[in-house]
Amino acid sequence: MSLKSERRGIHVDQSELLCKKGCGYYGNPAWHGFCSKCWREEYHKARQKQIQEDWELAERLQREEEEAFASSQSSQGAQSLTFSKFEEKKTNEKTRKVTTVKKFFSASSRVGSKKAEIQEAKAPSPSINRQTSIETDRVSKEFIEFLKTFHKTGQEIYKQTKLFLEAMHYKRDLSIEEQSECTQDFYQNVAERMQTRGKVSPERVEKIMDQIEKYIMTRLYKYVFCPETTDDEKKDLAIQKRIRALHWVTPQMLCVPVNEEIPEVSDMVVKAITDIIEMDSKRVPRDKLACITKCSKHIFNAIKITKNEPASADDFLPTLIYIVLKGNPPRLQSNIQYITRFCNPSRLMTGEDGYYFTNLCCAVAFIEKLDAQSLNLSQEDFDRYMSGQTSPRKQESENWSPDACLGVKQMYKNLDLLSQLNERQERIMNEAKKLEKDLIDWTDGIAKKVQDIVEKCPLEIKPPNQSLAAIDSENVENDKLPPPLQPQVYAG
């Protein structure tokens, strides 16, 4: 089955998007080409063993940390404390830690919870270098306050989350795909434990998972977003350069059913562009998905206002492509990869967030493969537009309606002027190169002629002749000359 809309000028062969497993359903680029059902099956099969290994590692690291802490305390207090006093101090320390954690989730001691947070901040775990920002502190407090309402279940969730962060600290040398798998395993394991052991309803599980994702990804963001070990940054630059080269694409070429001359529609387009750009400023995958969802809803509203009827999915995808081309969101590929790797899988597999995210992935794939046929253009026109020799907006600017915005008119006039100046500059450069070549040829021709003449008639340079001495000068070499005449005086 292929989706080809001749009316819209967009040709997307969706046979390439079928599930890799061959079940007949469409695959999602965010799930590596699998459909949601096959993704769940493959996910459960391949990661059960890894889940158990991760938890064993986390528990072993926790025991080693406690042993190291106890060893350091014993070496420091050996000179001043007896063995019995050391055992008493160690017991008190463990009791204080347990009490502090319990106070976090006690509904009757809100003042005590604040003291416990201060104590925890003063005594961080030695295995994690906590360079927390204001946002991280705020998210941590919100997470603790949220878990207080779940009492014992909240304590267990808090413990599992801390163990997971400890384990991820030792896994920073792993590839980003392996870190992603560990995170996805953690999401699945926590959700299953809450449903089987805690008997928590699916609605509450979803809320808890959102808070867990927000807490852990706020702390891991600077380590796992666009890491240096991947080519995410290279892909970001490539798609950004590609979108810049496609600046000339008009809504008419994509058959976008949006009329930006309507003020309400223009506002919706601006809001959609703002939301898709704002996605890069968020740190939590769920918040990035929320920006995509808001952008998509503004697009649907713009289409609805323009057509005076509800928008369809066929209208949505071309408009989303146009918004991406017009907004050129920063670090687009990095954000898509980050959401794919670390978002709660249940959110991507179901609901409107997953649907809009899938459309964004399809829009980016279409932009990367966009050619002359996709826009119903000849290859010659497509190449001229891509090279900047001309712009399709020239012909459009001649047919302005009387009510068109003056600022938009001026903008397109300036674009036409820049295009003309670009053509003149290219013409002058070509003529200058031709003149330079002519001058070089003329110089070489003159030099060759001069060389031929010199070879045919060689120039002989004779030494200068000796100058003649004056007759009345004292010249010893001219002894045979008569003496100079003397004046004669005659009488009479």
Side-chain angles (χ1 to χ4, degrees):
M1 177 179 178
S2 61
L3 176 63
K4 295 185 177 180
S5 178
E6 298 293 340
R7 179 178 61 84
R8 300 191 174 283
I10 298 178
H11 307 280
V12 181
D13 188 1
Q14 293 201 353
S15 62
E16 300 177 358
L17 301 179
L18 289 177
C19 178
K20 289 182 178 180
K21 203 171 182 180
C23 64
Y25 291 96
Y26 286 112
N28 191 327
W31 304 326
H32 306 285
F34 291 100
C35 65
S36 60
K37 182 180 179 182
C38 295
W39 173 259
R40 292 192 192 98
E41 293 176 357
E42 293 294 327
Y43 187 77
H44 286 291
K45 287 179 182 178
R47 302 307 167 200
Q48 285 298 330
K49 183 178 179 181
Q50 185 67 29
I51 292 172
Q52 188 63 28
E53 292 178 356
D54 288 343
W55 280 105
E56 290 177 358
L57 175 62
E59 292 174 357
R60 180 172 61 82
L61 293 174
Q62 183 70 14
R63 289 195 301 269
E64 291 177 357
E65 182 182 347
E66 292 178 356
E67 293 173 0
F69 178 77
S71 176
S72 61
Q73 291 294 327
S74 62
S75 62
Q76 294 176 1
Q79 298 178 356
S80 58
L81 296 176
T82 63
F83 181 77
S84 59
K85 290 184 178 180
F86 170 74
E87 289 293 331
E88 181 181 356
K89 182 179 180 180
K90 183 177 179 181
T91 304
N92 292 336
E93 182 69 18
K94 288 184 177 180
T95 305
R96 182 182 64 80
K97 287 184 177 180
V98 174
T99 305
T100 301
V101 175
K102 288 183 178 180
K103 286 182 178 180
F104 281 141
F105 308 103
S106 175
S108 61
S109 58
R110 296 189 176 274
V111 177
S113 64
K114 294 182 179 180
K115 294 181 179 179
E117 294 171 8
I118 296 174
Q119 290 177 358
E120 183 186 6
K122 290 182 178 179
S125 173
S127 63
I128 293 183
N129 181 19
R130 288 195 171 91
Q131 299 175 349
T132 56
S133 62
I134 297 177
E135 182 179 2
T136 305
D137 293 337
R138 177 182 59 80
V139 171
S140 300
K141 292 179 181 179
E142 291 177 355
F143 183 61
I144 293 172
E145 291 293 332
F146 174 79
L147 292 180
K148 285 181 180 179
T149 58
F150 294 92
H151 305 293
K152 186 177 180 180
T153 303
Q155 296 180 24
E156 181 67 21
I157 293 172
Y158 183 79
K159 179 181 177 181
Q160 293 177 14
T161 306
K162 298 292 286 185
L163 289 174
F164 170 74
L165 291 175
E166 292 279 352
M168 290 297 292
H169 172 73
Y170 292 97
K171 294 183 179 182
R172 289 179 187 170
D173 294 336
L174 299 179
S175 65
I176 194 63
E177 287 77 16
E178 292 174 324
Q179 295 185 54
S180 172
E181 291 173 0
C182 294
T183 306
Q184 298 296 332
D185 293 341
F186 173 73
Y187 288 151
Q188 180 186 0
N189 191 48
V190 172
E192 289 178 353
R193 287 194 178 189
M194 284 190 293
Q195 292 176 354
T196 57
R197 299 183 184 181
K199 305 299 181 181
V200 183
S201 62
E203 293 78 10
R204 300 188 74 183
V205 169
E206 190 68 23
K207 292 181 180 179
I208 294 173
M209 293 306 301
D210 288 342
Q211 293 297 323
I212 292 175
E213 176 190 309
K214 182 178 181 181
Y215 176 68
I216 64 175
M217 295 316 302
T218 301
R219 289 178 173 270
L220 299 177
Y221 175 80
K222 60 182 179 180
Y223 304 111
V224 299
F225 181 82
C226 192
E228 297 179 356
T229 56
T230 65
D231 58 349
D232 292 349
E233 185 176 0
K234 184 178 179 180
K235 293 180 179 179
D236 290 334
L237 296 176
I239 190 64
Q240 197 171 43
K241 183 179 179 180
R242 176 69 171 173
I243 293 176
R244 285 201 192 104
L246 294 170
H247 66 90
W248 48 269
V249 176
T250 63
Q252 291 74 20
M253 292 179 180
L254 296 171
C255 293
V256 176
V258 168
N259 185 6
E260 295 187 64
E261 295 182 1
I262 303 175
E264 293 83 356
V265 175
S266 179
D267 292 341
M268 291 296 174
V269 171
V270 172
K271 290 179 180 179
I273 295 174
T274 303
D275 290 332
I276 198 69
I277 293 176
E278 188 182 1
M279 174 181 61
D280 185 60
S281 64
K282 305 299 181 181
R283 306 178 76 179
V284 183
R286 185 190 64 173
D287 294 341
K288 292 181 180 292
L289 282 176
C291 291
I292 299 174
T293 301
K294 289 193 295 183
C295 169
S296 302
K297 290 184 177 180
H298 288 313
I299 291 174
F300 274 108
N301 289 335
I303 298 173
K304 182 178 180 181
I305 296 173
T306 302
K307 300 179 66 175
N308 291 324
E309 62 182 15
S312 64
D314 292 337
D315 296 329
F316 170 69
L317 183 57
T319 311
L320 179 60
I321 294 172
Y322 174 68
I323 293 297
V324 174
L325 289 174
K326 196 170 183 179
N328 197 359
R331 299 192 291 185
L332 182 58
Q333 287 286 6
S334 291
N335 282 287
I336 291 176
Q337 293 297 328
Y338 177 71
I339 294 173
T340 304
R341 292 165 181 160
F342 297 101
C343 184
N344 184 3
S346 63
R347 184 171 292 276
L348 287 180
M349 294 177 183
T350 58
E352 60 181 3
D353 290 343
Y355 171 75
Y356 294 138
F357 179 70
T358 302
N359 277 272
L360 178 62
C361 295
C362 294
V364 174
F366 176 82
I367 292 172
E368 292 176 340
K369 299 179 181 180
L370 188 143
D371 54 10
Q373 184 180 4
S374 303
L375 301 175
N376 289 330
L377 296 175
S378 64
Q379 188 63 41
E380 181 181 358
D381 290 341
F382 183 81
D383 294 338
R384 288 171 59 231
Y385 294 153
M386 290 294 291
S387 62
Q389 295 180 2
T390 185
S391 173
R393 301 181 187 273
K394 280 187 176 182
Q395 293 79 12
E396 298 175 7
S397 60
E398 298 175 356
N399 301 321
W400 289 107
S401 62
D403 299 332
C405 177
L406 295 178
V408 175
K409 287 183 179 180
Q410 186 63 39
M411 180 183 67
Y412 283 116
K413 289 181 180 178
N414 294 338
L415 290 175
D416 293 340
L417 180 60
L418 289 173
S419 179
Q420 295 174 11
L421 291 175
N422 186 33
E423 293 177 1
R424 289 180 58 189
Q425 183 182 10
E426 290 182 356
R427 186 167 58 254
I428 292 173
M429 291 298 296
N430 293 332
E431 293 177 356
K433 290 179 180 178
K434 182 180 178 182
L435 177 61
E436 182 182 8
K437 184 177 181 300
D438 294 342
L439 288 174
I440 293 174
D441 295 340
W442 178 80
T443 304
D444 294 342
I446 296 296
K448 185 177 180 181
K449 290 180 180 180
V450 171
Q451 186 66 25
D452 293 341
I453 294 174
V454 169
E455 292 177 355
K456 183 182 288 188
C457 305
L459 179 64
E460 296 180 1
I461 301 176
K462 298 180 178 181
N465 296 328
Q466 297 180 355
S467 59
L468 298 176
I471 295 177
D472 55 352
S473 64
E474 295 181 359
N475 193 344
V476 295
E477 296 180 357
N478 298 328
D479 295 336
K480 297 181 180 182
L481 292 175
L485 297 177
Q486 298 294 331
Q488 299 286 331
V489 179
Y490 295 95

